[in-house]
Amino acid sequence: MKRSGMGFIFVLLLLLPRAGGAAAGAPGDPNKQILAALTSGDAKALSAYLNDRVDLGVGGTEGTYSRVQATRILEEFFSKNPVKSVKINRQGTSSGGSYFSLGEMQAGSKTYRLYYLMKQVNGAELIHLLQIQDTK
């Protein structure tokens, strides 16, 4: 299933008007662990926070994948693009209880837009959407 950049923008526009401040405080510890995994380019650590099915847009690969498939795609991306830094510019929550982070990632020789959306599943905050898009 292909997803365009417009879908990413549409989701973002739906969430931004309802977003809280930069320190929304929503999932706390899971968010710190996710940022640590992203910063170190550790796909296996990141996979602990992926939902069973995740909408993924990474390095030109876009679609809905199982946790295992998404982890393999992320491992390949991180092996080709070693992460130098991750900076979160905006975080917030929607009225529906989802939580998002928007920022940028320096990886390899490029700068990428980073966006992920988390929702609660059985008491755990899990990533439902992850986008790492080249800023060109």
Side-chain angles (χ1 to χ4, degrees):
M1 172 180 185
K2 280 282 219 189
R3 293 201 182 269
S4 69
M6 293 303 292
F8 164 75
I9 292 170
F10 178 73
V11 169
L12 186 59
L13 290 174
L14 285 176
L15 294 174
L16 284 178
R18 296 179 234 161
D29 289 340
N31 195 44
K32 289 179 185 177
Q33 297 296 328
I34 289 166
L35 291 176
L38 286 167
T39 301
S40 64
D42 188 346
K44 288 189 191 240
L46 187 59
S47 72
Y49 298 95
L50 296 177
N51 195 22
D52 290 338
R53 307 270 315 147
V54 61
D55 290 331
L56 185 68
V58 176
T61 301
E62 295 189 21
T64 302
Y65 300 97
S66 70
R67 179 184 295 126
V68 171
Q69 290 170 316
T71 301
R72 287 186 190 134
I73 292 167
L74 289 164
E75 285 173 338
E76 184 178 335
F77 175 81
F78 290 141
S79 72
K80 292 179 181 177
N81 303 283
V83 178
K84 297 176 184 171
S85 67
V86 174
K87 178 182 176 189
I88 299 299
N89 299 321
R90 184 165 175 108
Q91 296 177 319
T93 57
S94 73
S95 60
S98 60
Y99 176 83
F100 73 90
S101 290
L102 177 64
E104 65 181 40
M105 172 186 285
Q106 298 287 325
S109 61
K110 297 182 179 181
T111 300
Y112 296 89
R113 279 186 293 271
L114 171 67
Y115 173 76
Y116 62 91
L117 177 72
M118 298 173 66
K119 294 180 185 177
Q120 194 169 74
V121 177
N122 297 325
E125 297 288 338
L126 298 176
I127 297 172
H128 286 251
L129 172 75
L130 174 61
Q131 296 278 327
I132 302 174
Q133 298 177 326
D134 191 345
T135 59
K136 296 181 186 180

